[in-house]
Amino acid sequence: MSAVLEAVRAGRTGETELLLRKLTGAERRALLPELQKVRKEIRATSWEERDARVYPALQVAGAMCHSGAAAAAAWIAGADMRWRRAPVETLLKALADRDTGWQADVARRLAARPVSADVPFELMAGLVRRSGCEVPVTDAYVVGWVRHVGHTWGRVPLVDRLRAEPDLRVLVRGLFELSDLAEVRWLFGDGPGSWQSTLAELAHAGTLDRAALLDACVARLLRGGGPTDHRVFLPLLVQLAPTRDEERERVADWTALARDAASPVAGHAQKVLAALALDGDLTPRQLAEASEGLLFRAEKKLVRAQLVLLGKVLARDASAAPLLLSAVAQAFGHEDTQVQERALKLVERHAGRLVDDLAARSEVADAVGRLSPALRVRAAGALGVVPAPGPEAYEEVLPPVPEPLRLAPAPESAEEVAEEVGALLAAGGDVAAFERTLDGLVRHAHRDQDALREALEPTVAGRWWRQPEAHRRWDADEYFGPTRRGLLDPEDGLELLLATLYGVVSTATLLAAVQRGPADHQCPRHGFSRVLDVRFRELAYRIRTDPQPLLLATPTWSTGLLEPDELVDRLDTCRRLGTRVGDADFAQALLRVRREDRAAALAAAGRARGLGTPEGERLARRLSAGGPALPTCDRRASGPRILVESGEVLDLQQDFPEAFRRLGRPVTVSERFRYCYHGGREDHATWLATLPEQRELVAVRLMPDLAEAAVDDQRGMAAVLPLLAEAGGTAGESTHLCVAYGLGARHPEDRLAAVDALLVLAARGQLDAERLGADLGQLVRRGAVKPLRLAESARTAAATGANATIWEMLRHALPVLLADLATAGTSGSARGLGELLSIAAECAERSGAHGDLPHLSRAAARRGSSRLAVQARRLRDALAGPMAA
């Protein structure tokens, strides 16, 4: 047996297989503990030191020594075995002496593994072939088959490969049962020679059952799947070319697809239904059922096409009017008023046919209330009903003002600290959770470091700096030292404190990092990261040399604000204990202390002076000096962008360490600023917690990142906007410009975050809609914000009930764009202007706005029925109407 283990360790796969063949079953089973020991040894080594040659021999040995099919399959498909596998032929040869039932069981178990296990198809197919068992139609087996066939392209035509497949029908059936085609979608291709055209060819030739294939295709489209699955099954359906009889048999399927399927599939189903309807193969009730679902869809193209179809059928069959006009009325609630008007025109044209059908007439009349106000009077006149009463007094609906959450006290026990540290290391957390945990770590490091280390042991056991030095990728002193590249982020800072607690980082390294400070960089955004880095360095050195009883800078509220009375109490505790106050800790506390409540600030200033300490006197001066000062601002254009430069803030220059003074330095627009790598989006939440009452200082540094969300289509940059809206301090020019960029961001989640920020500012009474609208007009005009993206954001915000807010914003954005339209005829900003006018008209109608809008009359006087002209006329009429009650 020692010879087998020696061959395995040396990676001699062939010799391993030959030696094991000479052993009995009992002798092979006796080898399993040793093989498992070898496997554990390899797993324990680093990737750099791991000998990949061992794996093929180890895989073969384990497969031959396991007597149970389940254990053998688990060994063969183990995650570590994928790194370097034994050749398939070698594995099949090694398992050849097992009975066919055992081999079939292994094949089924391997096929039942997830696709991500990446079990070789040739191995599964070889076991199926040798055992004679049925083909296991699982995702892993079918995906493996598709990949296997796909790899032969260029040598043998796909149609010939599939004809030669003995289990073709079973595997093709499995293709339609795959949970997701994402793993093999790229292999299907398009056009002649693709899988779709080949399967259709085989179906027409009789090699595959065409009727079964057609049923499976329709069923798969009904079931749905991945976002791109229809790109495989819809072309196949088209190439199978269903006959008119086959289409008639599946009317219910086409109706379901038209209602709920992906847009391309719904479009195809609609065309099939339209052809059947125009040929008289659909009853009015069937057409009405299909229409009711289609007219609720957001795709305007599909809705318009369905209304055209309904108009044609109504023109030919007067008796169908009661059923079909009830379906048409569903479009009265569509968000596009042009769709509403198309539907209303159909009702107006055929309303006379409803005279004798009171139920249908009542149903259509009930839907009139969903029309825009401008269309309701027309609809009432067409149906001969009394117009609905005018709107009641409009009431704006805004979200409740977000209330900050008070932080819970620091964890009471070392075990609680360990739990919270583990949670932060595993999944991160918000600033409040991070600061609270940091305070708990500092407090317990002061009380009993031995108890804290014991509680933290399970949490830190797997950290890289706890491994033996020979197995570490980095040296801890070099990684955490002052010469490291880049500043400490929250996760690295927490790692530094833990490594310091366990003595992994030397005291000399900690001292050098404190004395030297972070590396210099001119980017203004770099200042926030420097502050965080300096705080971590100071804390780590204090934990090693002079543990402090608490953190002065721990916020009171989730926004980062610190109540002045709490800071006075903490300074008093330090005075009584004779504890030296850390420069960085106290500086951060001064930046967080709340000063907007002047009564509370002045009362706390008196208490602070009574402490008789230098820190108490500094706090008293800061609290007595008044609220935070705003920097001077100046706008600068940079390509399509509009950015803001800010002046120096003297309030942050006096009595602060160098790293903190940078936060008050001037911000200028430059290419270095725009492309600086320090502007990481993951730090944005900590920026606001660093200066919780000076929102504009944060916003001016956030602005280049927000501009990238709109101009360069960067994802995730606007996630910070709701926090910016909830922060303290004046919401000035920079804050509003940040929100403007967010409303025009490329990605929907970023636009939604900007809408949240807009509504929060409005609910807090801090939104300057005139300023925001003017900014948006200029950004759209310059091409930084695309009108259609802005329109989507505006529609989302208006849908919450903030119609007056959005109208006020658009009232100041539209004149800039309409002026360009009047002077240039057509400009880049004209595309999507019709959509913006539509939303403005809807908001004006709902909120009862009235008055003049500069340059609107000229746009409304344009000829034709373009969306821009129609919506301009609609807005003009809405503004000319009577004031809301």
Side-chain angles (χ1 to χ4, degrees), residues 41-218:
E41 289 175 5
I42 298 175
R43 284 175 172 171
T45 59
S46 65
W47 286 104
E48 293 85 353
E49 299 173 347
R50 192 167 295 180
D51 190 350
R53 296 175 303 167
V54 178
Y55 275 114
L58 185 61
Q59 189 180 33
V60 168
M64 295 183 72
C65 291
H66 278 99
S67 57
W75 182 279
I76 292 169
D80 52 342
M81 297 296 178
R82 298 176 219 158
W83 197 40
R84 185 169 173 181
R85 296 187 175 99
V88 169
E89 289 303 322
T90 302
L91 272 172
L92 289 173
K93 183 180 177 183
L95 302 177
D97 60 348
R98 302 298 183 97
D99 64 73
T100 56
W102 188 91
Q103 292 187 50
D105 197 2
V106 171
R108 285 191 291 269
R109 292 178 183 277
L110 290 175
R113 295 258 164 179
V115 176
S116 58
D118 199 23
V119 178
F121 170 75
E122 294 84 351
L123 176 61
M124 294 184 288
L127 290 170
V128 168
R129 186 174 59 254
R130 292 187 178 194
S131 65
C133 69
E134 292 184 1
V135 173
V137 187
T138 65
D139 278 12
Y141 197 92
V142 175
V143 166
W145 172 66
V146 173
R147 287 173 176 169
H148 174 70
V149 173
H151 290 158
T152 66
W153 283 15
R155 295 194 296 271
V156 181
L158 178 61
V159 66
D160 293 337
R161 288 286 298 168
L162 294 183
R163 280 199 185 101
E165 173 59 61
D167 300 306
L168 179 63
R169 293 199 174 198
V170 175
L171 290 170
V172 168
R173 186 185 73 232
L175 186 63
F176 289 93
E177 296 171 359
L178 283 177
S179 57
D180 192 354
L181 287 178
E183 297 289 339
V184 291
R185 166 70 184 90
W186 64 276
L187 286 169
F188 282 84
D190 297 296
S194 66
W195 273 82
Q196 298 95 314
S197 62
T198 301
L199 290 175
E201 180 183 343
L202 293 174
H204 291 303
T207 306
L208 292 172
D209 186 336
R210 181 180 168 281
L213 202 60
L214 186 59
D215 286 338
C217 202
V218 173

Side-chain angles (χ1 to χ4, degrees), residues 42 59 75 128 164 225 230 239 243 262 303 316 366 449 466 502 504 517 525 536 549 556 616 694 696 787 852 873 879:
I42 298 175
Q59 189 180 33
W75 182 279
V128 168
H230 64 271
Q239 294 193 47
T243 65
V303 176
R316 294 189 330 185
D366 289 342
Q449 291 197 9
R466 285 285 282 163
Y502 280 85
V504 176
R525 292 178 288 183
F536 282 129
T556 306
Q694 293 175 281
E696 282 291 283
D852 295 325
R873 290 193 283 270
L879 294 177

Side-chain angles (χ1 to χ4, degrees), residues 259-284:
R259 285 170 176 257
D260 303 316
S263 188
V265 180
H268 175 78
Q270 184 187 45
K271 289 178 182 178
V272 173
L273 289 169
L276 291 172
L278 294 175
D279 287 348
D281 291 325
L282 274 190
T283 67

Side-chain angles (χ1 to χ4, degrees), residues 588-642:
Q588 177 62 90
L590 289 177
L591 293 182
R592 285 178 172 166
V593 70
R594 187 157 70 100
R595 295 190 286 166
E596 285 185 331
D597 185 341
R598 297 308 303 148
L602 292 174
R607 290 186 58 215
R609 285 195 183 91
L611 296 177
T613 63
E615 291 78 19
E617 183 59 33
R618 281 180 62 191
L619 175 58
R621 287 200 305 270
R622 186 164 181 81
L623 291 174
S624 302
L630 283 176
T632 58
C633 291
D634 193 14
R635 290 193 169 206
R636 289 287 184 269
S638 177
R641 296 166 172 80
I642 298 173

Side-chain angles (χ1 to χ4, degrees), residues 401-404 558-559 561 688 692 695 720-729 756-757 760-761 764 766:
V401 176
E403 295 292 338
S558 56
T559 57
L561 276 175
L688 286 162
R695 171 166 39 195
V720 70
L721 284 176
L723 296 178
L724 184 68
E726 295 174 24
D756 287 344
V760 168
L761 287 173
R764 297 181 71 186
Q766 297 174 338

Side-chain angles (χ1 to χ4, degrees), residues 235-521:
L236 175 57
L237 175 64
V238 172
Q239 294 193 47
L240 287 172
T243 65
R244 181 49 54 88
D245 288 339
E246 289 172 330
E247 289 177 341
R248 237 187 334 260
E249 292 168 1
R250 295 173 171 80
V251 167
D253 295 331
W254 307 129
T255 299
L257 291 173
R259 285 170 176 257
D260 303 316
S263 188
V265 180
H268 175 78
Q270 184 187 45
K271 289 178 182 178
V272 173
L273 289 169
L276 291 172
L278 294 175
D279 287 348
D281 291 325
L282 274 190
T283 67
R285 184 167 298 281
Q286 288 174 322
L287 179 57
E289 289 175 357
S291 299
E292 286 174 359
L294 260 168
L295 296 176
F296 273 117
R297 294 188 69 106
E299 301 95 329
K300 289 177 260 188
K301 182 178 179 181
L302 294 179
V303 176
R304 291 192 196 108
Q306 193 67 14
L307 290 173
V308 169
L309 172 63
L310 288 166
K312 290 179 180 179
V313 175
L314 283 167
R316 294 189 330 185
D317 185 2
S319 64
L323 276 172
L324 297 187
L325 289 180
S326 296
V328 169
Q330 302 298 320
F332 286 1
H334 199 276
E335 65 178 21
D336 186 351
T337 56
Q338 284 185 298
V339 169
Q340 293 181 14
E341 189 167 12
R342 283 173 180 263
L344 178 56
K345 285 180 179 178
L346 270 181
V347 172
E348 288 174 330
R349 191 177 304 140
H350 302 282
R353 300 175 182 177
L354 298 178
V355 173
D356 297 328
D357 195 323
L358 296 180
R361 183 166 171 270
S362 176
E363 188 174 348
V364 176
D366 289 342
V368 168
R370 298 200 292 269
L371 287 166
S372 67
L375 297 176
R376 288 175 196 159
V377 175
R378 276 178 55 186
L383 294 169
V385 298
V386 178
E392 298 178 0
Y394 174 75
E395 184 177 350
E396 185 83 343
V397 178
L398 293 172
V401 176
E403 295 292 338
L405 300 176
R406 180 178 280 273
L407 267 66
E412 288 291 334
S413 67
E415 289 73 20
E416 288 180 79
V417 173
E419 288 179 7
E420 298 199 9
V421 167
L424 286 175
L425 291 175
D430 58 20
V431 174
F434 174 77
E435 291 284 353
R436 178 176 177 271
T437 303
L438 201 62
D439 188 29
L441 194 64
V442 168
R443 289 172 183 265
H444 285 277
H446 177 266
R447 292 176 194 171
D448 189 341
Q449 291 197 9
D450 290 335
L452 180 58
R453 279 189 288 267
E454 182 180 351
L456 284 167
E457 185 59 41
T459 301
V460 304
R463 312 311 294 179
W464 64 268
W465 45 266
R466 285 285 282 163
Q467 307 307 310
E469 286 197 36
H471 293 160
R472 288 186 201 161
R473 181 171 295 184
W474 304 286
D475 176 74
D477 278 310
E478 181 179 351
Y479 184 84
F480 292 117
T483 59
R484 69 172 268 139
R485 181 180 179 182
L487 301 173
L488 295 171
D489 60 19
E491 183 178 346
D492 276 342
L494 191 55
E495 294 270 16
L496 168 62
L497 299 183
L498 295 172
T500 299
L501 191 62
Y502 280 85
V504 176
V505 184
S506 69
T507 304
T509 296
L510 298 174
L511 178 60
V514 171
Q515 291 177 335
R516 179 172 176 175
D520 193 25
H521 197 280

